[in-house]
Amino acid sequence: MCTSEFVQAHNGRDYGRQVLVDHGLFLTTSFLKEKGESSGYGGDWAVRLDANNERSGLSDAEESTTHLFFYIADETGNPITMGSYEPSSRGSVLLASGLHEEIGGWELYLRSEDNLEIHRAGFKSMSMHNLSDLVQQAVATNAMQSGNLNLPDITEDSSNIMVYQVSIKSPAQIDIVFLSGSASKSPVIEERISKLTGPMLSDRLETKQKEFEERYDQIFNVNNKVDSKELSVGRAALSSLLGGVGYFYGQSKIALPKGFTQKNGDKYISYWPAALYTAVPSRSFFPRGFLWDEGFHQRWDVHISMDIIGHWLDLLNSDGWIPREQILGAEALSKVPEEFVLQYPSNGNPPTLFLAIRDLASGIHAQQFSDEEAEKISSFLERAYIRLNAWFQWFNSTQSGKYEGTFYWHGRDNITTKELNPKTLTSGLDDYPRASHPNDEERHVDLRCWMLLATNCICSIAEFLKMDSALEKDYYKMSNQLSDFGTLNKLHLDDTIGAYFDYGNHTEKVRMRWFDVKDNNNMRREFLRGTLQAPQLQLVPHVGYVSLFPFMMGTIPPESWVLEKQLNLISNTSILWTDYGLRSLSRTSSIYMKRNTEHDPPYWRGAIWINMNYMVLSALHHYAHKDGPYSGRAKELYDKLRSNLIRNIVQNYDATGFFWENYDQKDKGKGKGARSFTGWTSLIVLIMAESYPTLHR
């Protein structure tokens, strides 16, 4: 069996539980956090490790030893004092202690009733992301010198990293306790350790698990909507998302204008040192904040949501721009290809935070929150308003098109010959086909829809806060302009098939092929784009997710013939419909499943993505409950699509133990891309709960 990770519970605050499965070893890790009167800043926490082997029935002679490694480090460089490393069955053993300016004195303890062997090593280093290399090197060196494959029980002077190797024979149970504000030994210390280890910890973990399940049922109310297996997968999806919420600190790298460099040769300047509290799409593959992903990550705890949104809005610069990827700190940087590190101040990202902010505002109107929560949300919206306005104005001034009321994603490469269709990373839909030859005549229908969402959201906040200045009047005017159905159709609708398209300088006659290129009297072969027909200004005829944005945002009147056409596109198996969800690009598209470069496989050119399927479900649910000739058809498609998505994600999770970045629309809905992708794929919880964003004023 390959290594799998099953996060069973996480409440985002003080409790979590996961199971790691690795070649027959089942390692369950649970954590509990609390802050008592004697605790320092941040409180105390405990981690319980339960190790079981599926071959635990073997005799002692046949049992294999399992080696578990864990570490504690002080990132500020403060030295850590090594404690004892002799395990004791009579109580807890002090492993390490130290002093930190924010939490005071701290101590780390281990307690276990089982026979353990403990080894350790101490390092002085500020490069936490290279810790695995340090450990492997220490183990290898010790093996060559002593013949023992373990840590050497040696610490460097002033070590700020302590690594422990605990060797066990399963089944075994280990409790590890961290105490903050523990300056000296006292009866209170023993009491705090006792509460976080042994039988008392067992009882408290069980209580926390029940509280988590009860809160999940209360918020999502899915018990009568899904079966027991689907219920457990939904809990795992939410828990994985919350378990991926983290705190980052560092400086983004901001690209200088083309042709500019610093004296040292750098083509970037550093953003100010900043903190970011955020969820991440994948802890193992994408351990950093993504602006447009984050709008899909909210809905569990309004206080956590406001904290996260506030951190993102605090990254706004004086122009109202937010870097779309937050690569803060050496560890996050180590996981990012160099081409994606620099952030460009001219480039945006879908303002999906407005989805979450709109839900906060509409939730108050619908009296979904307690009086205390409503008051805190009101205060948050009032403080956030000025930043939201600045963010919106940045979009309105920098991403506008050539004509009033039109918008396009800036930042596309208009001179490249190495891409079949120049990428639009800023849209979030990466290689989704746009106009073949980018220029300032482009009009992107998805960005127009995001701008409508943003104006509607700001209008809702203004109504709630009873604002009535000239600025708010401008927002109302713009909202009315962007929601005008006739203008939308004039700019983006193909009347023949009833689909919405981008507009730009485009030709379908482009191909990638090998060319012989002469370079300094040497010939080499390059895989380049050839344009076989001159482009012209036209609608870009590629049906896919972008075509559905006016539908997804609910801008089509429920009685319009265009709505029927949209439902036909969605349900057509030759275009978007599969038994596993809607594919991102129609099978009839000339770029369907085509590589963009020699080494760049298709990404948003056919695969099934859960965030866009969620938005389509939201629209289907909306139209199914609106009076009109197509409500019945919308309801039928809604039920089928929802069922297909739930079934496929649950089956993939059951078979692999993972949630996936996207899903294959050909190979029986098989998970693709990054695994342990628990960002917007966790929207399956909201799909189960039939909980969708509010898109209208």
Side-chain angles (χ1 to χ4, degrees):
M1 181 183 295
C2 65
T3 302
S4 300
E5 174 188 6
F6 301 86
V7 182
Q8 297 179 331
H10 202 298
N11 65 9
R13 292 181 174 272
D14 58 14
Y15 169 70
R17 174 186 172 90
Q18 70 176 0
V19 178
L20 303 175
V21 182
D22 187 8
H23 296 87
L25 173 68
F26 289 75
L27 182 64
T28 302
T29 64
S30 307
F31 88 88
L32 179 72
K33 184 178 179 181
E34 68 173 9
K35 185 172 183 180
E37 293 183 2
S38 303
S39 302
Y41 181 80
D44 303 337
W45 51 257
V47 173
R48 167 162 289 176
L49 305 174
D50 282 297
N52 289 280
N53 199 304
E54 62 182 9
R55 299 176 298 170
S56 57
L58 299 176
S59 65
D60 289 345
E62 296 175 297
E63 283 187 6
S64 60
T65 299
T66 298
H67 304 277
L68 306 176
F69 291 81
F70 65 91
Y71 73 94
I72 187 165
D74 189 322
E75 292 186 320
T76 64
N78 292 327
I80 296 176
T81 301
M82 181 69 73
S84 171
Y85 65 100
E86 291 297 329
S88 171
S89 60
R90 295 183 298 276
S92 58
V93 56
L94 176 66
L95 294 179
S97 60
L99 185 66
H100 192 278
E101 63 180 33
E102 291 187 348
I103 64 174
W106 61 265
E107 296 175 344
L108 185 74
Y109 291 88
L110 180 145
R111 175 177 173 177
S112 177
E113 304 297 325
D114 300 297
N115 292 323
L116 309 175
E117 182 179 339
I118 301 178
H119 295 280
R120 60 188 179 172
F123 305 97
K124 181 176 178 57
S125 175
M126 300 303 291
S127 300
M128 303 298 164
H129 64 288
N130 292 327
L131 185 55
S132 294
D133 296 335
L134 294 175
V135 171
Q136 291 174 10
Q137 183 178 0
V139 171
T141 301
N142 189 52
M144 288 188 292
Q145 294 176 349
S146 68
N148 297 318
L149 196 63
N150 52 44
L151 291 173
D153 298 318
I154 296 174
T155 63
E156 298 177 2
D157 291 341
S158 301
S159 293
N160 63 313
I161 303 173
M162 292 295 175
V163 182
Y164 296 88
Q165 175 185 349
V166 180
S167 303
I168 59 172
K169 293 184 183 295
S170 60
Q173 185 177 91
I174 304 167
D175 293 338
I176 301 170
V177 179
F178 176 87
L179 301 182
S180 62
S182 54
S184 61
K185 277 281 184 181
S186 72
V188 177
I189 293 292
E190 295 299 327
E191 180 182 335
R192 287 161 67 186
I193 295 173
S194 179
K195 287 176 61 180
L196 292 171
T197 59
M200 290 187 69
L201 178 60
S202 299
D203 292 342
R204 298 178 71 188
L205 290 174
E206 184 178 346
T207 298
K208 283 291 184 181
Q209 178 67 25
K210 290 180 180 178
E211 290 175 354
F212 167 75
E213 293 176 3
E214 289 171 358
R215 178 167 169 76
Y216 183 92
D217 294 342
Q218 177 188 359
I219 292 176
F220 299 112
N221 190 28
V222 297
N223 287 331
N224 61 342
K225 298 178 181 179
V226 297
D227 62 32
S228 58
K229 177 185 285 189
E230 294 167 346
L231 177 64
S232 64
V233 172
R235 287 175 180 161
L238 173 71
S239 300
S240 297
L241 171 68
L242 292 172
V245 175
Y247 176 86
F248 300 85
Y249 187 84
Q251 294 177 266
S252 294
K253 295 183 178 181
I254 311 302
L256 291 170
K258 196 169 184 179
F260 286 78
T261 58
Q262 295 203 67
K263 291 181 179 179
N264 61 4
D266 288 342
K267 295 184 178 182
Y268 67 88
I269 59 173
S270 296
Y271 221 47
W272 62 81
L276 180 65
Y277 181 57
T278 184
V280 301
S282 170
R283 284 180 289 170
S284 56
F285 200 80
F286 296 112
R288 58 192 187 273
F290 285 78
L291 180 55
W292 97 288
D293 293 51
E294 194 66 352
F296 294 106
H297 292 164
Q298 312 308 314
R299 290 291 186 95
W300 164 254
D301 185 314
V302 294
H303 304 286
I304 293 177
S305 291
M306 288 188 291
D307 200 356
I308 287 174
I309 295 169
H311 271 83
W312 276 99
L313 293 180
D314 279 347
L315 293 171
L316 208 76
N317 73 1
S318 58
D319 295 324
W321 172 71
I322 304 176
R324 69 183 191 89
E325 283 192 44
Q326 291 298 320
I327 309 165
L328 304 180
E331 185 173 5
L333 186 62
S334 69
K335 299 289 290 184
V336 184
E338 185 176 352
E339 63 182 297
F340 299 123
V341 170
L342 296 187
Q343 303 296 298
Y344 294 83
S346 60
N347 296 354
N349 220 201
T352 57
L353 289 182
F354 281 107
L355 289 171
I357 294 167
R358 183 63 187 273
D359 282 342
L360 293 176
S362 61
I364 294 179
H365 283 294
Q367 297 182 327
Q368 295 174 350
F369 303 113
S370 67
D371 291 342
E372 181 182 357
E373 286 178 329
E375 184 178 344
K376 289 182 178 179
I377 294 170
S378 300
S379 176
F380 170 78
L381 293 176
E382 188 171 1
R383 286 180 284 116
Y385 184 81
I386 189 171
R387 287 176 171 81
L388 294 174
N389 172 59
W391 192 28
F392 178 88
Q393 295 301 336
W394 179 87
F395 273 99
N396 198 31
S397 61
T398 68
Q399 307 297 297
S400 58
K402 201 168 184 178
Y403 306 101
E404 184 180 5
T406 64
F407 301 90
Y408 72 99
W409 297 107
H410 290 227
R412 300 184 70 211
D413 190 341
N414 60 2
I415 62 172
T416 182
T417 58
K418 296 185 177 181
E419 296 181 58
L420 178 63
N421 188 275
K423 283 185 177 181
T424 318
L425 292 173
T426 50
S427 72
L429 304 178
D430 296 27
D431 65 346
Y432 186 97
R434 308 280 183 165
S436 61
H437 291 69
N439 65 14
D440 61 2
E441 296 278 355
E442 283 190 89
R443 304 195 291 256
H444 292 154
V445 64
D446 55 329
L447 181 52
R448 178 187 173 89
C449 291
W450 287 124
M451 294 297 286
L452 174 59
L453 170 70
T455 55
N456 283 345
C457 180
I458 292 179
C459 286
S460 293
I461 296 174
E463 284 179 1
F464 176 72
L465 297 176
K466 295 181 172 56
M467 294 180 172
D468 190 28
S469 68
L471 178 63
E472 281 69 54
K473 289 181 174 63
D474 287 342
Y475 277 119
Y476 280 101
K477 179 181 177 181
M478 187 170 183
S479 175
N480 290 332
Q481 289 174 339
L482 291 177
S483 59
D484 185 83
F485 189 53
T487 303
L488 170 69
N489 293 346
K490 181 180 178 180
L491 293 173
H492 292 287
L493 181 67
D494 182 316
D495 291 336
T496 304
I497 62 175
Y500 291 98
F501 295 125
D502 289 341
Y503 178 88
N505 198 34
H506 181 74
T507 175
E508 287 287 285
K509 302 298 183 180
V510 292
R511 300 289 185 272
M512 296 297 293
R513 64 184 182 88
W514 291 101
F515 286 84
D516 291 324
V517 178
K518 190 173 183 180
D519 183 18
N520 294 329
N521 295 322
N522 294 318
M523 297 298 294
R524 70 174 190 275
R525 288 175 62 79
E526 284 196 34
F527 197 57
L528 303 173
R529 182 175 77 167
T531 301
L532 309 179
Q533 182 185 73
Q536 62 182 10
L537 292 173
Q538 60 176 297
L539 293 175
V540 183
H542 295 283
V543 176
Y545 288 161
V546 165
S547 308
L548 299 178
F549 261 82
F551 170 78
M552 287 190 282
M553 295 297 183
T555 58
I556 303 172
E559 68 280 358
S560 172
W561 64 272
V562 179
L563 178 57
E564 181 182 28
K565 292 287 190 178
Q566 296 279 293
L567 297 177
N568 290 340
L569 293 173
I570 289 170
S571 60
N572 192 325
T573 56
S574 296
I575 299 178
L576 299 179
W577 187 272
T578 80
D579 290 336
Y580 317 104
L582 300 183
R583 57 173 67 91
S584 46
L585 188 63
S586 170
R587 290 172 60 186
T588 61
S589 168
S590 61
I591 295 184
Y592 168 70
M593 295 305 291
K594 292 286 183 65
R595 301 182 73 89
N596 206 43
T597 69
E598 179 186 0
H599 304 292
D600 196 2
Y603 201 45
W604 290 84
R605 298 183 176 181
I608 296 165
W609 294 81
I610 303 307
N611 60 333
M612 292 292 99
N613 273 269
Y614 172 72
M615 295 298 291
V616 170
L617 275 178
S618 175
L620 288 170
H621 188 267
H622 166 76
Y623 287 113
H625 291 84
K626 286 288 185 181
D627 290 336
Y630 313 112
S631 61
R633 182 85 187 286
K635 177 66 165 61
E636 177 188 358
L637 291 177
Y638 169 80
D639 289 338
K640 289 182 179 178
L641 179 58
R642 177 176 175 271
S643 176
N644 288 346
L645 289 165
I646 293 173
R647 183 184 66 253
N648 189 57
I649 290 177
V650 169
Q651 287 179 350
N652 270 275
Y653 182 80
D654 190 47
T656 67
F658 294 107
F659 298 98
W660 294 82
E661 184 178 5
N662 54 65
Y663 293 84
D664 199 316
Q665 35 91 38
K666 285 184 173 180
D667 189 10
K668 299 180 180 179
K670 185 178 179 181
K672 293 175 57 183
R675 63 183 189 181
S676 287
F677 191 94
T678 49
W680 60 44
T681 300
S682 63
L683 287 168
I684 193 62
V685 177
L686 300 184
I687 293 172
M688 291 177 177
E690 300 186 279
S691 176
Y692 302 108
T694 304
L695 300 174
H696 303 277
R697 277 210 315 271

